[in-house]
Amino acid sequence: MPQRDELARDLVAASRILAHEGVCDAFGHVSARHPDDPARYLLARARSPELVEFEDIEEYALDGTPLSPGARKPFLERFIHGALYEARPDVMSVVHSHSRTVVAYSVVQERLRPVMHSCATIGAEVPVWDARRCFGDTTLLVCDMPMGRDLATGLGGGNAVLMRGHGSTTIGRSVREAVYTAVYLEVNASLQERAGRLGEVTFLSPGEVEKINARLLHGLPGEGFGRAWDYWCRRAGVPERAAS
């Protein structure tokens, strides 16, 4: 199977996983950099994640121009993806979502910080990007490349960024890694909220975050991102071939 098709099947699986794990509802999307052309990326047509099929995956230039023949309605916020691929050559996949508990941390002073080892991929502290800072009153949607590029600046060299009053975006060096961070960003938000009700929270140190992420990156088969991916595929009813 061509690598492009394998990646497209991963995006279908990722869409189903994000929906099943409560990260995406009717909205949200996941993309992957094209395996043969770094100036392109793969993203579904505008459709709810749980409904995405293989035939829905289309190709885009980094500036958001649809490149697939007979391209159908694209996501308005595809500029999130293109701008991050443009800014970060190391980024191979992007997830944008509006998971509920995460959004709450985008509108308060308290910052999301990892409280559990599995959540270390979110980084030592998750930054918050506020569209109003540069663009004034907007719909809060990232609807063009200038906004996408400003969001990329807000993300910096990290793996996750919150978007004030909107949602969050995570990145990865693979689809599995980007999905893992998106799922555990929501898990961490929920745990941090609960722990805060009980008393002062002890967060992971930057050194712990670094060591955990190094272990995940070099995980053996059946560990880390791969094990989580296989588990989520089974829960979401994704065919085993997509989980391999």
Side-chain angles (χ1 to χ4, degrees), residues 58-74:
E58 301 192 337
E59 297 185 16
Y60 298 87
L62 297 189
D63 66 0
T65 301
L67 299 174
S68 297
R72 294 154 292 183
K73 179 178 173 56

Side-chain angles (χ1 to χ4, degrees), residues 3 14-15 19-20 34 41 55 63 69 87 122 152 164 167 170 173 186 190 201 212 220 224-225 238:
Q3 191 175 0
S15 299
H20 190 272
H34 196 290
Y41 61 95
E55 294 75 16
D63 66 0
I122 71 173
R164 196 264 304 166
T170 65
R173 283 154 290 197
E186 173 64 20
S190 179
V201 179
I212 293 166
L220 299 173
F225 304 131
V238 174

Side-chain angles (χ1 to χ4, degrees), residues 154-166:
L155 172 67
N159 294 337
V161 60
L162 273 54
M163 304 156 76
R164 196 264 304 166
H166 180 174

